[in-house]
Amino acid sequence: MKKKEQQAISCASQLRTAQQQDFLWHRTMVPGIGQETVYRQMRSAIPILDAAIGKLVRLTGGFHAECENKAAEKQLQQFLRTVPVGYGQYGIENFLMPYLDSLLMFGRALGEMMIPADGTLLLRWADATKFEILPDDGGNDVCIGVRKGTQLQPLPRQKLLLFSTWNADTDHPYGTSLFYSMPFLTDILMKIYRTIGTNWERAGNVRYAVTYKPTDGADMAFAKERAQSIASEWSNAMQEARDGSVRDFVSVGDVQIRVIGSDGQILDSEVPVRQILEQLVAKTGLPPFLFGLSWAATERMAAQQTDLLTSELWAIRRSVQPVLEKICRTWLQLHGCGCEPEIIWDEISLQDIEMQAHAALYQAQAERLQKEQEEEV
């Protein structure tokens, strides 16, 4: 007698779809293509990254321009305060903020100077990811163009374009994003956050498993009918609870009710999340407390941290200073002035006002003591 084939008591569902992973594009990303999309998704998903770009842009600070011709300098400063920069905005600061934002996020920034028929000067900033950059065979400049089909068409007035790069190297001569080397850690962090959300959804929206076990032959004969009756009554009880009413569930026989997944262990996410955030925050160059993270016993910034952050901000300033000088030089030339402009940046102040006051007091006391000693001699 042939043995009966063993029937499967469970099988995998064929209709279950994989969860959408919006922030895993970098796994199949071709090098050099698609980073901009990944960086945008990272910034929209991780608030710390968005805050880092905004804080670095604001901490870079303002500036003013000077030149030998004081009359032209006064008009130049008026131009910098009132120049139209598009999208209903005025002033060089409103041009510099999105320009710096693009510089840090994508590693490059692009703008344009426009000269209408009346001889004035207008500024526009552009999305650098929509343009391609090629070396200019005629010199040390770059050629910026738009790809139409399979051909790259250079923009007609290259001399009026404004272009800056950030962290350029041999592999990325046209700039490297601040988010470079972050996608892998961001992917892990999003997995943890997504799992936390799933666990809280399970804990908040409880699913119940109601199990009925027949005890004798009579129960076995009517097991199906009793199971359907229990399911119907349980469903009615749950519906009454949703409507705000209290309804007890009464049954006869061996009936067990348990919460699905209640015995599952929820992993501790505090340590791995902090480890990943430490890496991301370290890449931005900003101290953790600026993001609201209290990892240290003190909320003050150490002198070493201040010096490092100041050097980072000065590096950003040096990256965009040639563009600002080009804007001022073009305006002066349009108005018949051949003097060379000089960009004067505002002082970077990251220390407490009280500490600055004490430092100024100690400096004044030291100068007074030195003066008295010189007079005695």
Side-chain angles (χ1 to χ4, degrees):
M1 184 176 178
K2 295 182 179 181
K3 295 183 179 179
K4 295 183 179 180
E5 295 181 359
Q6 185 177 2
Q7 296 180 353
I9 59 176
S10 63
C11 62
S13 173
Q14 302 181 74
L15 301 180
R16 182 171 180 175
T17 58
Q19 187 175 5
Q20 182 68 28
Q21 305 289 337
D22 295 333
F23 301 95
L24 301 181
W25 286 17
H26 68 280
R27 291 184 176 180
T28 58
M29 184 179 63
V30 179
I33 301 176
Q35 290 100 331
E36 293 82 6
T37 302
V38 175
Y39 295 153
R40 286 192 176 99
Q41 291 183 343
M42 290 168 53
R43 185 173 180 176
S44 64
I46 310 296
I48 281 183
L49 301 184
D50 184 37
I53 296 292
K55 291 181 183 298
L56 286 173
V57 169
R58 287 188 291 271
L59 287 173
T60 301
F63 71 96
H64 66 276
E66 296 180 357
C67 64
E68 296 179 357
N69 190 333
K70 296 304 178 182
E73 176 183 319
K74 185 176 180 180
Q75 296 178 6
L76 176 60
Q77 294 177 358
Q78 177 67 17
F79 160 76
L80 294 176
R81 288 193 298 267
T82 61
V83 55
V85 296
Y87 309 100
Q89 302 295 318
Y90 296 88
I92 192 65
E93 294 291 341
N94 289 323
F95 169 82
L96 189 59
M97 290 181 64
Y99 193 86
L100 287 172
D101 190 286
S102 176
L103 180 69
L104 296 175
M105 185 171 178
F106 303 116
R108 59 186 184 274
L110 183 62
E112 179 185 11
M113 296 184 293
M114 303 172 61
I115 305 176
D118 57 359
T120 58
L121 184 62
L122 309 179
L123 300 178
R124 295 289 186 275
W125 53 269
D127 185 358
T129 62
K130 296 181 179 179
F131 300 87
E132 294 193 24
I133 304 164
L134 295 175
D136 188 359
D137 297 335
N140 195 35
D141 294 332
V142 295
C143 180
I144 301 173
V146 179
R147 184 167 296 278
K148 294 184 178 180
T150 58
Q151 295 183 350
L152 179 63
Q153 297 184 359
L155 297 177
R157 293 175 291 275
Q158 296 286 327
K159 297 298 182 180
L160 295 179
L161 297 179
L162 307 171
F163 179 70
S164 301
T165 60
W166 172 251
N167 281 345
D169 53 29
T170 55
D171 294 331
H172 306 86
Y174 301 120
T176 305
S177 171
L178 181 69
F179 297 161
Y180 184 75
S181 75
M182 287 188 184
F184 174 72
L185 293 176
T186 304
D187 178 26
I188 299 176
L189 187 63
M190 290 307 301
K191 286 181 179 178
I192 296 175
Y193 284 156
R194 191 179 296 110
T195 304
I196 292 175
T198 302
N199 290 333
W200 275 98
E201 182 181 359
R202 183 190 67 187
N205 190 8
V206 180
R207 279 85 166 174
Y208 295 95
V210 182
T211 305
Y212 167 62
K213 296 180 179 180
T215 56
D216 52 23
D219 287 346
M220 292 291 294
F222 299 97
K224 181 178 180 179
E225 290 78 2
R226 291 185 178 180
Q228 292 177 348
S229 177
I230 292 174
S232 176
E233 292 300 324
W234 180 260
S235 178
N236 293 334
M238 293 296 98
Q239 185 63 41
E240 293 291 340
R242 294 190 188 96
D243 297 336
S245 302
V246 178
R247 180 174 177 178
D248 296 328
F249 176 76
V250 181
S251 178
V252 178
D254 188 1
V255 178
Q256 296 180 358
I257 301 173
R258 64 183 182 89
V259 177
I260 297 177
S262 59
D263 53 347
Q265 181 181 3
I266 299 178
L267 298 177
D268 183 15
S269 61
E270 182 177 359
V271 174
V273 166
R274 174 169 175 175
Q275 291 177 345
I276 295 174
L277 290 180
E278 285 176 348
Q279 298 291 325
L280 299 180
V281 171
K283 184 66 169 59
T284 64
L286 294 170
F289 74 86
L290 289 181
F291 300 101
L293 302 174
S294 55
W295 291 341
T298 176
E299 295 182 357
R300 291 180 178 269
M301 194 187 317
Q304 294 80 3
Q305 288 180 314
T306 303
D307 294 339
L308 291 175
L309 180 55
T310 303
S311 65
E312 287 286 334
L313 298 178
W314 273 109
I316 299 175
R317 289 179 169 184
R318 288 192 297 269
S319 298
V320 298
Q321 182 164 335
V323 168
L324 300 176
E325 292 175 348
K326 183 177 180 179
I327 294 173
C328 296
R329 186 182 304 111
T330 303
W331 185 90
L332 290 173
Q333 292 175 356
L334 289 174
H335 290 76
C337 183
C339 59
E340 189 69 16
E342 182 181 3
I343 302 300
I344 307 298
W345 291 94
D346 298 340
E347 289 293 333
I348 299 177
S349 177
L350 301 175
Q351 297 290 347
D352 294 338
I353 297 178
E354 182 180 0
M355 296 178 62
Q356 294 180 7
H358 282 296
L361 176 61
Y362 297 152
Q363 181 67 24
Q365 291 176 349
E367 293 177 355
R368 187 188 64 181
L369 292 176
Q370 183 179 3
K371 185 177 179 180
E372 292 177 353
Q373 291 176 358
E374 292 176 353
E375 291 178 352
E376 291 177 356
V377 173

